[in-house]
């Protein structure tokens, strides 16, 4: 289904950690339901106002009964600063849901997230649990974890790693990952972490999915702004062909 434009209403918008916010919005009647791994282009400023571009933000949680969608985002620039200033009751323009989303596969799975890359993995973990897939989570942060309890509510085991050692394991999520324990490994986070985790999982012969991040302009496959190259050099559009890809597309043997 093509991405739709709609006007949502902000219900909550609260700080979860330094520069990390959780925004919950109510969708209007008739708006399409998103899948885990899809994203929306968010905008709360006029077409002539800066910044020029809407902000692509992944679905963190979706409640089909209440028709609410939540976004976990990091304040990084003008657009996300404007989002962080939104009060309940404010209007929020959404274009989406866009992108392909995650496939739910296997009887056991682990979601591996780093920093704000943990955002799309919560709805995935919820959907996997609902589908009867036994799901663990390994979540990495620089110093201050966030939204860990939400993962604990749906996962069998949740492990946390921090760079500083303030909480959980001092080190990397890949120190905690044993991919051979699972049928499927889902990964989202900084590129270096994603590559290492994906290569570990692929090396163990485990089905692997990665959710890629890219700078986006249109979010709809029209501008080529998010094009990146697969391991074999073929161009793919992250917003339209992804953002979820099989790990081997980027990190397969020989790449
Ligand atoms: Fe325009 Fe992907 S952001 S093609």
């Amino acid at each position: 289904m093509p991405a739709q434009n709609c006007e949502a209403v902000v219900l909550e918008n609260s700080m979860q950690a330094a520069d990390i916010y959780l925004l919950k919005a109510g969708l209007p009647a008739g708006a399409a339901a998103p899948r885990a791994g899809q994203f929306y282009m968010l905008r709360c400023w006029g077409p002539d106002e800066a910044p020029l571009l809407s902000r692509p933000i992944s679905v963190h949680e979706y409640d089909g009964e209440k028709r609410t969608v939540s976004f976990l985002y990091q304040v990084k620039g003008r657009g996300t600063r404007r989002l962080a200033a939104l009060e309940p009751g404010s209007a929020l323009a959404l274009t989406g849901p866009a992108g392909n989303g995650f496939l739910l596969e296997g009887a056991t799975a682990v979601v591996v997230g780093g920093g704000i890359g943990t955002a799309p993995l919560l709805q995935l973990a919820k959907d996997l649990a609902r589908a009867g897939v036994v799901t663990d989570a390994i979540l990495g942060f620089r110093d201050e974890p966030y939204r860990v309890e939400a993962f604990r509510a749906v996962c069998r085991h949740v492990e946390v790693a921090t760079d500083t050692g303030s909480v959980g394991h001092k080190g990397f999520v890949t120190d905690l990952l044993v991919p051979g324990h699972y049928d499927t490994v889902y990964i989202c986070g900084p590129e270096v972490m994603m590559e290492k985790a994906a290569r570990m999982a692929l090396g163990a012969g485990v089905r692997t999915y990665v959710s890629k991040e890219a700078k986006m302009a249109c979010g709809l496959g029209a501008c080529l702004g998010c094009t990146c190259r697969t391991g074999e050099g073929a161009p793919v559009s992250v917003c339209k062909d992804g953002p979820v890809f099989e790990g081997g597309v980027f990190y397969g043997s020989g790449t």
Side-chain angles (χ1 to χ4, degrees):
M1 179 181 291
Q4 305 170 334
N5 295 318
C6 71
E7 188 165 296
V9 178
V10 175
L11 303 175
E12 298 171 27
N13 194 19
S14 57
M15 187 189 274
Q16 305 293 306
D19 290 335
I20 304 293
Y21 283 75
L22 179 65
L23 186 156
K24 183 189 281 190
L27 292 174
R35 292 198 311 276
Q38 289 191 295
F39 66 93
Y40 287 84
M41 302 298 285
L42 275 63
R43 190 175 188 96
C44 60
W45 52 93
D48 301 328
E49 291 180 71
L52 188 61
L53 303 173
S54 304
R55 286 291 169 264
I57 300 187
S58 62
V59 172
H60 182 54
E61 273 188 293
Y62 172 67
D63 185 325
E65 278 178 25
K66 295 184 180 152
R67 304 279 301 154
T68 60
V69 60
S70 298
F71 302 98
L72 185 70
Y73 62 99
Q74 183 166 26
V75 174
K76 288 180 180 167
R78 265 196 297 189
T80 43
R81 261 200 304 279
R82 293 190 76 150
L83 290 174
L86 287 174
E87 299 282 350
S90 305
L92 176 67
L94 299 180
T95 303
N100 56 358
F102 290 105
L103 293 175
L104 309 183
E105 292 186 345
T108 57
V110 60
V111 299
V112 184
I116 199 62
T118 56
L121 300 179
L122 179 60
Q123 186 60 45
L124 171 63
K126 291 174 85 167
D127 289 352
L128 287 166
R130 200 174 295 133
V133 180
V134 176
T135 303
D136 292 342
I138 305 175
L139 310 173
F141 303 91
R142 197 184 61 74
D143 181 49
E144 185 184 6
Y146 40 84
R147 300 292 287 158
V148 173
E149 290 311 312
F151 281 90
R152 288 199 202 285
V154 293
C155 293
R156 177 182 60 174
H157 299 303
V158 177
E159 292 190 271
V160 172
T162 51
D163 294 350
T164 60
S166 63
V167 179
H169 170 73
K170 183 177 192 303
F172 305 119
V173 287
T174 45
D175 300 340
L176 302 172
L177 175 62
V178 185
H181 286 178
Y182 305 98
D183 295 330
T184 317
V185 177
Y186 299 92
I187 309 163
C188 186
E191 181 57 32
V192 172
M193 163 254 164
M194 205 150 56
E195 176 171 359
K196 182 159 187 203
R199 288 193 187 280
M200 286 171 67
L202 290 165
V206 177
R207 183 179 293 275
T208 305
Y209 291 101
V210 296
S211 179
K212 299 283 278 186
E213 192 178 341
K215 287 210 181 328
M216 290 187 192
C218 71
L220 303 170
C223 72
L224 305 182
C226 66
T227 302
C228 66
R229 304 220 164 252
T230 67
E232 293 180 343
V236 290
S237 133
V238 172
C239 71
K240 191 151 177 259
D241 302 320
V244 178
F245 297 88
E246 287 205 46
V249 168
F250 290 96
Y251 312 115
S253 55
T255 64

